[in-house]
Amino acid sequence: MKLSDKKLSSYNKGIQNLLQNEEIFEEIICEYVVRINAKYYSTIFPSSQIAKIIMDKMDKEKTKFPIIHKVVREILNKWVDRDICKFVSEKRKHKIKTVVEFDQEGLNKLKRKILDFSIDKINEGIKDLEIEVDSLKTRGDIFKEMELEIQDFFNFMEEE
């Protein structure tokens, strides 16, 4: 554990742990923003609404809202640096609400991210996919293989 990690509060440690799975959060945010934009042509999104969507998708408790909201704001800060979106702030009473706006170029970047996420999932699925060799064998081959396994078992037992 680094010295700087010891100085962090448990709140900040929790946020750092959640940011290790940043890709999951980004995927949910991308899908939400692109879907809402396609349906309603909306380009402006409050960070609190994005946090609520993530909580619903991940089945998080309402008590986790401040942490999830902070993670969303961290991701949005990175996106602002990458020119995916820009901050638009709204004043509400004594607070400033975090709101982001996506232009067409930013939305196109999000669509590419969604495609990349989908391609990665497909590639992982292909790697995980195993063809059962037994289903491609004839019954005779399967019986011969079973017979050899049984003989090996008895040979092993006799040696002991």
Side-chain angles (χ1 to χ4, degrees):
M1 182 178 275
K2 299 177 197 170
L3 181 61
S4 61
D5 287 347
K6 290 180 182 177
K7 293 180 181 178
L8 290 176
S9 67
S10 59
Y11 173 77
N12 288 327
K13 286 179 186 177
I15 290 169
Q16 282 187 344
N17 287 339
L18 288 173
L19 282 172
Q20 289 176 353
N21 299 319
E22 184 176 344
E23 193 172 285
I24 295 168
F25 290 99
E26 283 187 344
E27 184 177 0
I28 294 170
I29 296 170
C30 288
E31 288 175 358
Y32 171 71
V33 169
V34 170
R35 182 172 29 89
I36 295 302
N37 176 262
K39 283 184 181 179
Y40 306 109
Y41 305 106
S42 181
T43 58
I44 298 176
F45 297 89
S47 61
S48 57
Q49 181 61 34
I50 294 171
K52 289 177 187 176
I53 297 300
I54 288 176
M55 289 178 60
D56 287 344
K57 287 268 188 182
M58 298 179 85
D59 292 327
K60 296 286 185 184
E61 303 164 5
K62 289 183 180 183
T63 57
K64 301 290 184 188
F65 178 80
I67 295 171
I68 300 296
H69 191 216
K70 178 67 175 173
V71 169
V72 168
R73 287 186 306 218
E74 291 288 328
I75 292 170
L76 293 175
N77 282 332
K78 291 178 184 178
W79 285 7
V80 167
D81 293 341
R82 294 185 213 152
D83 294 326
I84 294 175
C85 61
K86 64 181 178 180
F87 284 119
V88 181
S89 298
E90 291 181 5
K91 287 189 177 182
R92 298 258 174 125
K93 296 183 182 178
H94 300 295
K95 296 181 181 180
I96 295 177
K97 187 173 184 178
T98 305
V99 180
V100 291
E101 182 176 12
F102 295 88
D103 59 3
Q104 192 57 46
E105 185 179 330
L107 290 168
N108 289 338
K109 288 179 182 179
L110 292 183
K111 290 174 185 176
R112 281 191 292 267
K113 276 183 163 288
I114 290 173
L115 287 173
D116 290 341
F117 290 136
S118 298
I119 289 170
D120 290 344
K121 283 182 182 177
I122 290 169
N123 286 337
E124 287 174 15
I126 289 172
K127 287 178 186 175
D128 293 341
L129 181 65
E130 294 181 10
I131 299 174
E132 291 187 26
V133 180
D134 288 344
S135 64
L136 301 175
K137 294 179 182 177
T138 64
R139 282 187 186 161
D141 291 339
I142 293 171
F143 285 133
K144 285 179 186 176
E145 196 171 292
M146 287 172 62
E147 184 180 348
L148 291 173
E149 287 177 11
I150 293 169
Q151 285 177 351
D152 287 344
F153 174 74
F154 283 119
N155 289 338
F156 176 75
M157 294 302 286
E158 286 178 0
E159 289 175 3
E160 287 191 4

